[in-house]
mmCIF file of all heavy atoms in Angstrom:
data_model
loop_
_atom_site.group_PDB
_atom_site.id
_atom_site.type_symbol
_atom_site.label_atom_id
_atom_site.label_comp_id
_atom_site.label_asym_id
_atom_site.label_seq_id
_atom_site.Cartn_x
_atom_site.Cartn_y
_atom_site.Cartn_z
ATOM 1 N N ASP R 868 16.491 2.029 0.197
ATOM 2 C CA ASP R 868 16.787 0.702 0.739
ATOM 3 C C ASP R 868 18.000 0.695 1.672
ATOM 4 O O ASP R 868 18.519 -0.371 2.012
ATOM 5 C CB ASP R 868 16.988 -0.301 -0.391
ATOM 6 C CG ASP R 868 18.140 0.069 -1.318
ATOM 7 O OD1 ASP R 868 18.695 1.181 -1.162
ATOM 8 O OD2 ASP R 868 18.476 -0.754 -2.192
ATOM 9 N N ARG R 869 18.463 1.871 2.079
ATOM 10 C CA ARG R 869 19.626 1.974 2.971
ATOM 11 C C ARG R 869 19.167 2.056 4.429
ATOM 12 O O ARG R 869 18.306 2.852 4.768
ATOM 13 C CB ARG R 869 20.448 3.220 2.621
ATOM 14 C CG ARG R 869 20.873 3.323 1.160
ATOM 15 C CD ARG R 869 21.965 2.344 0.810
ATOM 16 N NE ARG R 869 22.384 2.516 -0.574
ATOM 17 C CZ ARG R 869 23.348 3.344 -0.957
ATOM 18 N NH1 ARG R 869 23.980 4.094 -0.051
ATOM 19 N NH2 ARG R 869 23.681 3.447 -2.233
ATOM 20 N N ARG R 870 19.763 1.226 5.263
ATOM 21 C CA ARG R 870 19.487 1.319 6.695
ATOM 22 C C ARG R 870 20.181 2.538 7.287
ATOM 23 O O ARG R 870 21.290 2.856 6.877
ATOM 24 C CB ARG R 870 19.987 0.053 7.401
ATOM 25 C CG ARG R 870 19.281 -1.234 6.981
ATOM 26 C CD ARG R 870 17.810 -1.214 7.375
ATOM 27 N NE ARG R 870 17.153 -2.445 6.977
ATOM 28 C CZ ARG R 870 17.011 -3.506 7.783
ATOM 29 N NH1 ARG R 870 17.502 -3.478 9.001
ATOM 30 N NH2 ARG R 870 16.385 -4.581 7.352
ATOM 31 N N PRO R 871 19.586 3.220 8.283
ATOM 32 C CA PRO R 871 18.282 2.925 8.878
ATOM 33 C C PRO R 871 17.102 3.564 8.134
ATOM 34 O O PRO R 871 15.955 3.351 8.513
ATOM 35 C CB PRO R 871 18.413 3.527 10.273
ATOM 36 C CG PRO R 871 19.255 4.745 10.063
ATOM 37 C CD PRO R 871 20.268 4.345 8.991
ATOM 38 N N LEU R 872 17.378 4.337 7.071
ATOM 39 C CA LEU R 872 16.315 5.077 6.401
ATOM 40 C C LEU R 872 15.212 4.157 5.882
ATOM 41 O O LEU R 872 14.035 4.528 5.894
ATOM 42 C CB LEU R 872 16.906 5.890 5.242
ATOM 43 C CG LEU R 872 16.102 7.130 4.816
ATOM 44 C CD1 LEU R 872 16.089 8.167 5.928
ATOM 45 C CD2 LEU R 872 16.669 7.718 3.541
ATOM 46 N N SER R 873 15.580 2.959 5.447
ATOM 47 C CA SER R 873 14.597 2.048 4.867
ATOM 48 C C SER R 873 13.494 1.663 5.844
ATOM 49 O O SER R 873 12.407 1.243 5.430
ATOM 50 C CB SER R 873 15.288 0.786 4.357
ATOM 51 O OG SER R 873 15.930 0.107 5.417
ATOM 52 N N LEU R 874 13.751 1.805 7.144
ATOM 53 C CA LEU R 874 12.768 1.423 8.170
ATOM 54 C C LEU R 874 12.044 2.620 8.764
ATOM 55 O O LEU R 874 11.271 2.463 9.710
ATOM 56 C CB LEU R 874 13.465 0.641 9.290
ATOM 57 C CG LEU R 874 14.215 -0.620 8.867
ATOM 58 C CD1 LEU R 874 14.782 -1.324 10.086
ATOM 59 C CD2 LEU R 874 13.319 -1.565 8.078
ATOM 60 N N LEU R 875 12.245 3.815 8.209
ATOM 61 C CA LEU R 875 11.709 5.035 8.811
ATOM 62 C C LEU R 875 10.785 5.798 7.876
ATOM 63 O O LEU R 875 10.553 6.987 8.056
ATOM 64 C CB LEU R 875 12.868 5.948 9.251
ATOM 65 C CG LEU R 875 13.818 5.350 10.297
ATOM 66 C CD1 LEU R 875 14.975 6.313 10.570
ATOM 67 C CD2 LEU R 875 13.078 5.027 11.582
ATOM 68 N N GLY R 876 10.227 5.140 6.870
ATOM 69 C CA GLY R 876 9.383 5.811 5.896
ATOM 70 C C GLY R 876 7.917 5.840 6.277
ATOM 71 O O GLY R 876 7.471 5.172 7.215
ATOM 72 N N ASP R 877 7.147 6.604 5.535
ATOM 73 C CA ASP R 877 5.696 6.669 5.699
ATOM 74 C C ASP R 877 5.094 5.279 5.533
ATOM 75 O O ASP R 877 4.256 4.839 6.319
ATOM 76 C CB ASP R 877 5.129 7.643 4.669
ATOM 77 C CG ASP R 877 3.639 7.853 4.809
ATOM 78 O OD1 ASP R 877 3.078 7.514 5.875
ATOM 79 O OD2 ASP R 877 3.016 8.364 3.860
ATOM 80 N N HIS R 878 5.507 4.583 4.479
ATOM 81 C CA HIS R 878 5.136 3.189 4.250
ATOM 82 C C HIS R 878 6.405 2.330 4.197
ATOM 83 O O HIS R 878 7.484 2.820 3.849
ATOM 84 C CB HIS R 878 4.411 3.016 2.907
ATOM 85 C CG HIS R 878 3.033 3.602 2.865
ATOM 86 N ND1 HIS R 878 2.797 4.961 2.891
ATOM 87 C CD2 HIS R 878 1.812 3.006 2.769
ATOM 88 C CE1 HIS R 878 1.482 5.177 2.819
ATOM 89 N NE2 HIS R 878 0.872 4.005 2.752
ATOM 90 N N LEU R 879 6.237 1.062 4.515
ATOM 91 C CA LEU R 879 7.253 0.057 4.253
ATOM 92 C C LEU R 879 6.877 -0.652 2.961
ATOM 93 O O LEU R 879 5.760 -1.163 2.818
ATOM 94 C CB LEU R 879 7.314 -0.962 5.394
ATOM 95 C CG LEU R 879 7.800 -0.439 6.741
ATOM 96 C CD1 LEU R 879 7.467 -1.452 7.833
ATOM 97 C CD2 LEU R 879 9.290 -0.149 6.709
ATOM 98 N N GLU R 880 7.785 -0.665 2.014
ATOM 99 C CA GLU R 880 7.566 -1.351 0.745
ATOM 100 C C GLU R 880 8.360 -2.659 0.806
ATOM 101 O O GLU R 880 9.588 -2.647 0.778
ATOM 102 C CB GLU R 880 8.029 -0.482 -0.413
ATOM 103 C CG GLU R 880 7.589 -0.994 -1.765
ATOM 104 C CD GLU R 880 7.986 -0.039 -2.876
ATOM 105 O OE1 GLU R 880 9.070 0.563 -2.789
ATOM 106 O OE2 GLU R 880 7.204 0.100 -3.830
#
Side-chain angles (χ1 to χ4, degrees):
D868 60 353
R869 306 287 183 89
R870 296 295 180 94
L872 205 66
S873 61
L874 303 183
L875 299 176
D877 184 17
H878 290 69
L879 293 166
E880 192 176 36

